């Protein structure tokens, strides 16, 4: 019986080659799009999920109330991990860590071999907490000695060209102007691609404490900081109960503010990283859900094609079904037969889809910045088969129910006519297809307009023609002298130095008292040398910038407009205020500028002089970048021998804030094109069927003088109504969907009617283009032959 079903199915496929080809292309392209998205979603969902103690692994978070609401941060005290390990019996392991993005790549040298690598400072239990397998050394001891260092297998190969017998060997390293040497205590496999933290070496946190002078235990002076704290709780510990103890613990050290600590599962950090006013508000999980929904819609569009084409060709199989029923076949048997044909078509499409995935994967990886591969993994294989089975079942369900429902007597007598229910169902499916296609096109247009807007909007400072690089070696030891010489190079407009980076500066809660009223305000801050404001092109609203001609600017401060408004200060320039426990004179006020992405509104900010800086900024005359960078590189090498000149453009970093949106825009473009392509394949098949069904009518009209325009209107009339209905349904859905996405930005474009007009015009144009093929074919055929054909 099964063999007979396969024989019938293949005969049907061969007999209707055009429809078989359209179904194969439609299903295979739909499956290829769904499989690509699945690979990306699967990779996103596995980030940080590989740690053996994942269910017990947490990061300590902190909520800090301020005048604008509640700020949630992962920044904690450098001594919190040690204190919790000593006082909380529920804690199995605890470790503090410096954020991976804190430092530039460190300079490491062994003999004459010098390389740069990303490093962190971490507590002694770090390798007990995280599953970064050690090839050499013990996880219990590798970070206990402050003179130790743990390096990755990849870094070991760069430094020693081997990974064998490295314990006890010495590495010289430099961070800014700090020069030290450490002894290798361990070699670890490296951080896998699905780890959100990437580093090549780890130093003991005790080393960092020595460098910056952190001593003693937690008290009112060191109960906060920009460090990460990780915990592994003992099995069976109640997280809610532990959070209560955690807050009581923190209140014993800081009774002045209402700070709350809580634990967040470490595996959720990557996908659920956003908080609004103290409440978790998503993160990258939003994109995971979005593209999962897109994959589902693409598969549904492909399935609708199969349904429409299968039911449209039902007349060719009526007698077959009637004979089967007359011979005793029940409806269940016929349903299984036609479902089997649909599943066979789906699995044939899977073969083509896998070839398309392999072909498109390099470009897909380039867009997403990942290294996805199709591998012989049992979970991946089962998932691909599951997606294909789902597609086959959905695609074959309606045709199987429809075809198996024919009355055998009516079929054999030729009395079956297309029912209104069938026609409306088919039109409804076409409407659904084109509604989704319309939404995709409109979404792509809006995403591209928003990306263009945020890339071209003036951020309030001049980000163009500015390069920056980290201070190392002699530069770190004598930044004023280096800057003085740099400014003499022709083509350099100005130069300065700052702490950290202008983008993404951390928040600092400051208690502000005014007219007997006290409130906590979350400030951003910039610390830099003279000429920082001028180098960045930040505009002064009132007052002046810091000047080397003034000997008292070290005690002065500059605020932005948002800070002055939040503090409620009138005529601020020249006023002396008590700020962060110190008396400061307000030297000036700068205009608001965006030191965060346009997802956020401008926050209060202050700028102070600081000569303990690390990042050098250089503004170059427009058009002289290449020449000046070459001269600057030569000077850098002479001033700083043995160190390479590695620089970045500030404008590139500004654009990098929107990498996720750029990926969405690029991927949306391709998936919208895929949805439209699949819809057009279905439209092509339906118009082919319509043209065949109306062949005699077209022939008679041509004999009576009908033109190609009349033939096109005949074929286009029914489909045009479906397209117009699709547009009416899609416009409010598209507006709601796009508006929800735009709300992610504090600054965004407004949705105009042009977007919907372009999307609608594209849909109608594509429909006309698809039907025009059949119009040309119909006008070129001999009408006499059409009328003679039975």
């Amino acid at each position: 019986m099964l063999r007979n079903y396969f024989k019938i199915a293949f005969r049907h496929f061969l007999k209707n080659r055009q429809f078989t080809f359209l179904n194969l292309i439609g299903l295979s392209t739909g499956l290829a799009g769904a499989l690509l998205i699945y690979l990306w979603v699967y990779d996103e969902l596995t980030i940080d999920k590989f740690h053996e103690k994942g269910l017990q692994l947490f990061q300590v978070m902190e909520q800090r109330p301020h005048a604008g609401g509640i700020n949630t941060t992962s920044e904690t005290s450098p001594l919190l991990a040690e204190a919790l390990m000593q006082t909380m019996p529920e804690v199995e392991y605890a470790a503090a860590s410096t954020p991976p993005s804190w430092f530039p790549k460190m300079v490491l040298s062994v003999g004459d071999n010098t390389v740069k690598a990303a490093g962190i400072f971490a507590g002694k239990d770090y390798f007990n907490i995280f599953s970064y397998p050690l090839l050499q050394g013990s996880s219990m001891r590798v970070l206990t000695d402050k003179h130790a260092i743990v390096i990755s297998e990849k870094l070991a190969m760069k430094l020693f060209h081997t990974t064998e017998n490295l314990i006890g060997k010495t590495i010289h390293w430099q961070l800014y102007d700090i020069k030290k040497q450490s002894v290798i205590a361990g070699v670890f496999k490296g951080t896998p691609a699905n780890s959100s933290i990437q580093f090549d070496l780890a130093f003991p946190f005790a080393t960092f404490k020595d460098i910056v002078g952190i001593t003693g235990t937690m008290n009112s002076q060191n109960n906060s900081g920009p460090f990460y704290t990780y915990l592994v709780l003992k099995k069976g510990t109640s997280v809610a109960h532990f959070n209560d103890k955690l807050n009581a613990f923190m209140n014993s050290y800081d009774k002045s503010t209402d700070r709350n600590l809580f634990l967040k599962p470490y595996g959720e950090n990557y996908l659920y990283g956003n908080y609004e006013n103290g409440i978790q508000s998503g993160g990258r999980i939003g994109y995971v859900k979005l593209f999962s929904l897109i994959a589902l819609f693409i598969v549904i569009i492909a399935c609708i094609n199969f349904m429409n084409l299968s039911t449209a060709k039902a007349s060719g199989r009526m007698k077959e079904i009637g004979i089967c029923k007359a011979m005793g076949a029940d409806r269940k048997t016929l349903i299984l037969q036609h479902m089997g044909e649909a599943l066979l078509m789906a699995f044939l499409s899977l073969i083509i889809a896998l070839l398309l995935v392999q072909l498109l994967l390099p470009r897909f990886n380039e867009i997403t910045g990942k290294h996805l591969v199709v591998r012989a993994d049992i979970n991946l294989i089962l998932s691909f088969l599951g997606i294909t089975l789902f597609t086959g079942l959905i695609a074959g369900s309606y045709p199987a129910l429809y075809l198996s429902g024919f009355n055998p007597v009516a079929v054999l007598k030729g009395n079956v006519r297309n029912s209104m229910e069938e026609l409306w169902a088919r039109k409804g499916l076409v409407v659904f297809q084109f509604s989704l296609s319309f939404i995709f096109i409109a979404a792509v247009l809006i995403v591209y307009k928003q990306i263009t807007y945020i890339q071209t909007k003036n951020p309030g400072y001049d980000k163009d023609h500015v390069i920056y690089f980290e201070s190392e070696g002699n530069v770190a030891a004598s930044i004023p002298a280096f800057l003085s010489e740099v400014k003499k190079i022709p083509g350099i407009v100005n130069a300065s130095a700052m702490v950290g980076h202008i983008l993404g500066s951390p928040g600092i809660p400051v208690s502000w008292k005014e007219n007997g009223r006290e409130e906590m305000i979350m400030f951003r801050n910039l610390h830099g040398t003279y000429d920082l404001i001028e180098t960045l092109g930040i505009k002064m609203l009132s007052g002046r910038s810091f000047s080397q001609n003034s000997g008292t600017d070290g005690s002065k401060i500059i605020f932005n407009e948002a800070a002055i408004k939040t503090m409620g200060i009138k005529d601020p320039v020249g006023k002396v205020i008590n700020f962060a426990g110190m008396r400061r004179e307000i030297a000036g006020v700068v205009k608001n500028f965006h030191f965060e992405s346009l997802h956020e509104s401008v926050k209060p900010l202050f700028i102070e002089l600081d000569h303990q800086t690390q990042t050098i900024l250089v503004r170059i005359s427009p058009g002289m970048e290449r020449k000046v960078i070459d001269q600057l590189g030569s000077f850098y090498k002479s001033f700083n021998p043995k160190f390479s000149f590695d620089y970045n453009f500030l404008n590139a970093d500004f654009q990098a804030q929107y990498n996720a949106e750029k990926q969405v825009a690029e991927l949306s473009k391709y998936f919208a094109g895929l949805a439209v392509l699949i819809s057009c394949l279905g439209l092509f098949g339906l118009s082919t069927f319509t043209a065949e069904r109306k062949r005699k009518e077209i022939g008679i009209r041509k004999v009576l003088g009908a033109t190609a325009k009349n033939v096109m209107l005949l074929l286009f009339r029914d489909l045009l109504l479906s397209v117009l209905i699709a547009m009416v349904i899609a416009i409010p859905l598209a507006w709601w969907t796009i508006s929800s996405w735009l709300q992610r930005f504090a600054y965004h474009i407004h949705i105009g009617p042009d977007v919907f007009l372009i999307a609608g015009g594209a849909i109608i144009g594509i429909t006309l283009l698809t039907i025009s093929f059949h119009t040309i074919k119909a006008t070129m055929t001999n009408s006499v032959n059409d009328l003679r054909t039975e």
Side-chain angles (χ1 to χ4, degrees):
M1 181 66 74
L2 188 61
R3 179 182 177 186
N4 188 52
Y5 284 163
F6 275 111
K7 187 183 294 185
I8 293 172
F10 277 112
R11 283 177 179 174
H12 175 66
F13 294 162
L14 292 173
K15 181 182 177 181
N16 300 279
R17 290 184 180 89
Q18 185 182 50
F19 284 85
T20 300
F21 175 76
L22 290 174
N23 276 330
L24 273 175
I25 296 299
L27 284 176
S28 60
T29 51
L31 277 173
L35 295 181
L36 283 171
I37 292 176
Y38 175 80
L39 287 172
W40 181 84
V41 168
Y42 181 79
D43 185 79
E44 289 285 289
L45 293 177
T46 58
I47 298 291
D48 291 335
K49 298 296 196 306
F50 60 92
H51 298 289
E52 293 178 10
K53 295 183 173 64
L55 297 177
Q56 304 160 252
L57 175 54
F58 298 88
Q59 182 168 2
V60 180
M61 307 289 289
E62 182 173 324
Q63 290 180 336
R64 301 172 181 174
H66 60 93
I70 298 175
N71 183 59
T72 303
T73 178
S74 56
E75 299 174 352
T76 55
S77 164
L79 301 176
L80 179 61
E82 295 177 19
L84 293 178
M85 193 69 185
Q86 294 170 2
T87 59
M88 299 284 194
E90 298 91 342
V91 177
E92 184 175 352
Y93 295 112
S97 168
T98 54
S101 59
W102 243 31
F103 306 113
K105 289 187 175 182
M106 303 179 187
V107 180
L108 311 168
S109 60
V110 175
D112 295 329
N113 189 12
T114 301
V115 300
K116 290 184 178 181
I120 61 171
F121 294 86
K124 61 184 182 63
D125 285 327
Y126 194 81
F127 285 95
N128 290 321
I129 294 173
F130 296 101
S131 298
Y132 303 125
L134 287 164
L135 305 178
Q136 298 178 46
S138 167
S139 61
M140 300 296 295
R141 296 192 297 273
V142 288
L143 293 175
T144 54
D145 186 348
K146 66 176 63 177
H147 300 294
I149 184 174
V150 184
I151 62 175
S152 69
E153 182 181 32
K154 181 180 178 181
L155 181 58
M157 291 299 298
K158 288 182 179 180
L159 287 171
F160 300 98
H161 309 294
T162 182
T163 58
E164 302 295 329
N165 302 317
L166 297 181
I167 302 296
K169 293 193 175 183
T170 300
I171 294 177
H172 295 267
W173 58 275
Q174 181 170 351
L175 175 63
Y176 302 125
D177 59 342
I178 302 166
K179 297 181 180 180
K180 287 185 176 294
Q181 64 181 38
S182 296
V183 177
I184 297 176
V187 178
F188 69 105
K189 184 69 177 175
T191 51
N194 60 341
S195 171
S196 60
I197 296 177
Q198 297 289 326
F199 62 94
D200 287 308
L201 66 151
F203 299 99
F205 197 72
T207 305
F208 183 81
K209 289 166 63 178
D210 277 359
I211 292 173
V212 298
I214 298 174
T215 58
T217 57
M218 279 188 63
N219 53 47
S220 59
Q221 300 301 317
N222 58 23
N223 62 20
S224 63
F227 303 94
Y228 292 166
T229 300
Y230 304 106
L231 305 179
V232 171
L233 297 185
K234 293 177 181 177
K235 291 182 179 180
T237 300
S238 168
V239 176
H241 178 68
F242 187 84
N243 282 338
D244 292 338
K245 291 186 64 176
L246 201 56
N247 283 313
F249 171 85
M250 176 52 68
N251 290 335
S252 67
Y253 286 100
D254 189 354
K255 295 183 174 63
S256 60
T257 59
D258 187 20
R259 295 164 57 188
N260 294 315
L261 300 182
F262 67 96
L263 297 187
K264 180 179 182 179
Y266 179 75
E268 294 182 2
N269 277 352
Y270 179 76
L271 292 176
Y272 300 90
N274 294 348
Y275 286 83
E276 291 183 8
N277 201 25
I279 299 173
Q280 208 288 316
S281 59
R284 287 189 66 88
I285 190 64
Y287 290 117
V288 170
K289 292 178 180 178
L290 172 65
F291 282 108
S292 297
L293 195 61
I294 289 174
L296 178 62
F297 283 156
I298 288 174
V299 168
I300 289 175
I301 289 174
C303 291
I304 288 172
N305 270 5
F306 188 93
M307 294 177 189
N308 274 338
L309 294 177
S310 298
T311 54
K313 292 295 289 182
S315 59
R317 305 195 70 179
M318 287 181 183
K319 289 188 177 180
E320 173 197 333
I321 295 165
I323 292 171
C324 287
K325 283 195 170 185
M327 296 296 292
D330 58 11
R331 189 174 186 185
K332 179 180 178 183
T333 303
L334 291 173
I335 289 175
L336 289 175
Q337 177 188 341
H338 293 291
M339 287 294 292
E341 289 181 10
L343 288 171
L344 179 60
M345 181 66 74
F347 279 97
L348 288 175
S349 300
L350 176 62
I351 298 172
I352 301 173
L354 288 173
L355 294 175
L356 289 174
V357 168
Q358 286 293 99
L359 183 66
L360 298 173
L361 204 52
R363 175 59 181 158
F364 189 74
N365 282 333
E366 184 181 335
I367 294 171
T368 59
K370 290 184 178 289
H371 303 283
L372 306 175
V373 292
V374 179
R375 58 189 184 280
D377 178 85
I378 187 63
N379 291 327
L380 204 61
I381 293 171
L382 291 175
S383 298
F384 278 19
L385 292 176
I387 292 171
T388 307
L389 182 63
F390 171 80
T391 304
L393 291 174
I394 296 296
S397 57
Y398 177 70
L401 293 170
Y402 172 71
L403 292 172
S404 64
F406 288 142
N407 186 307
V409 176
V411 166
L412 294 176
K413 285 183 177 181
N415 293 331
V416 176
R417 296 288 183 267
N418 290 330
S419 66
M420 288 302 296
E421 290 82 0
E422 176 205 341
L423 292 175
W424 280 110
R426 193 180 303 155
K427 289 179 182 293
L429 292 173
V430 171
V431 167
F432 183 77
Q433 270 188 321
F434 277 94
S435 294
L436 289 180
S437 298
F438 183 95
I439 292 171
F440 280 152
I441 294 173
V444 168
L445 291 174
I446 286 294
V447 168
Y448 267 95
K449 289 182 72 172
Q450 176 65 13
I451 294 298
T452 302
Y453 171 75
I454 60 181
Q455 287 179 327
T456 56
K457 186 181 186 302
N458 183 5
Y461 64 94
D462 190 355
K463 63 185 184 300
D464 299 319
H465 318 296
V466 177
I467 64 170
Y468 72 92
F469 48 92
E470 302 299 336
S471 59
E472 300 169 331
N474 295 335
V475 174
S478 52
I479 287 180
F482 177 77
L483 291 175
S484 177
E485 294 300 316
V486 164
K487 291 177 182 179
K488 297 177 183 178
I489 298 175
I492 290 182
V493 178
N494 216 328
S496 185
M498 66 179 296
V499 178
H501 198 290
I502 185 175
L503 298 174
S505 59
I508 299 175
V510 177
S511 178
W512 169 250
K513 295 180 180 179
E514 180 72 9
N515 298 325
R517 178 174 56 92
E518 180 178 0
E519 60 183 4
M520 190 68 68
I521 300 175
M522 189 63 65
F523 280 89
R524 301 300 193 271
N525 66 92
L526 291 182
H527 289 78
T529 61
Y530 295 108
D531 296 327
L532 177 64
I533 292 174
E534 291 75 11
T535 302
L536 289 172
I538 299 171
K539 305 298 183 183
M540 296 297 303
L541 182 67
S542 59
R544 63 173 179 84
S545 177
F546 297 120
S547 173
Q548 298 187 54
N549 298 324
S550 173
T552 60
D553 276 4
S555 62
K556 294 183 180 180
I557 193 168
I558 295 174
F559 291 102
N560 69 348
E561 293 176 83
I564 296 299
K565 182 179 179 181
T566 301
M567 293 188 293
I569 302 177
K570 305 295 183 182
D571 301 321
V573 177
K575 280 193 174 180
V576 178
I577 61 173
N578 190 346
F579 186 79
M582 300 182 68
R583 292 181 63 77
R584 290 279 192 270
E585 180 185 338
I586 302 176
V589 179
V590 298
K591 290 185 176 181
N592 283 340
F593 63 94
H594 294 279
F595 44 85
E596 295 177 298
S597 72
L598 296 187
H599 291 96
E600 307 291 338
S601 58
V602 178
K603 308 290 194 310
L605 170 134
F606 65 88
I607 306 173
E608 289 183 311
L609 274 177
D610 191 338
H611 299 292
Q612 299 297 317
T613 53
Q614 305 95 21
T615 306
I616 309 294
L617 299 104
V618 178
R619 175 168 294 281
I620 303 171
S621 296
M624 297 184 65
E625 288 86 357
R626 187 69 271 160
K627 181 180 178 180
V628 170
I629 288 173
D630 288 342
Q631 290 180 322
L632 181 59
S634 299
F635 169 70
Y636 184 90
K637 290 178 182 177
S638 65
F639 192 96
N640 209 24
K642 297 184 179 181
F643 287 86
S644 60
F645 179 55
D646 301 319
Y647 64 92
N648 295 283
F649 280 94
L650 186 59
N651 184 49
D653 280 20
F654 178 85
Q655 304 293 349
Q657 297 177 104
Y658 309 106
N659 280 342
E661 282 74 24
K662 291 177 187 176
Q663 289 176 5
V664 169
E666 194 71 11
L667 290 175
S668 296
K669 178 180 69 175
Y670 287 109
F671 290 130
L674 188 62
V676 172
L677 171 64
I678 297 171
S679 298
C680 287
L681 288 172
L683 188 62
F684 183 85
L686 286 176
S687 56
T688 300
F689 171 72
T690 304
E692 286 183 358
R693 191 178 61 183
K694 296 188 176 185
R695 190 190 313 177
K696 286 190 177 182
E697 181 184 345
I698 292 171
I700 293 171
R701 288 176 180 272
K702 286 168 62 180
V703 169
L704 294 175
T707 63
K709 179 181 178 182
N710 300 133
V711 174
M712 176 175 282
L713 288 174
L714 176 66
L715 297 175
F716 184 58
R717 186 174 54 203
D718 292 339
L719 291 172
L720 176 61
L721 181 61
S722 298
V723 171
L724 291 177
I725 293 173
M727 290 169 57
V728 170
I729 295 172
I731 286 174
L733 290 175
W735 183 88
W736 177 80
T737 303
I738 296 166
S739 296
S740 299
W741 181 76
L742 287 175
Q743 294 308 311
R744 297 166 56 90
F745 298 87
Y747 306 88
H748 57 76
I749 62 171
H750 296 287
I751 305 173
D754 58 319
V755 173
F756 304 115
L757 290 174
I758 294 172
I763 292 293
I764 294 174
I766 290 167
T767 305
L768 282 171
L769 188 64
T770 305
I771 294 175
S772 62
F773 171 82
H774 298 294
T775 305
I776 295 170
K777 183 179 178 181
T779 55
M780 292 180 66
T781 57
N782 191 323
S783 301
V784 175
N785 293 333
D786 289 339
L787 294 173
R788 283 177 179 172
T789 302
E790 292 296 331

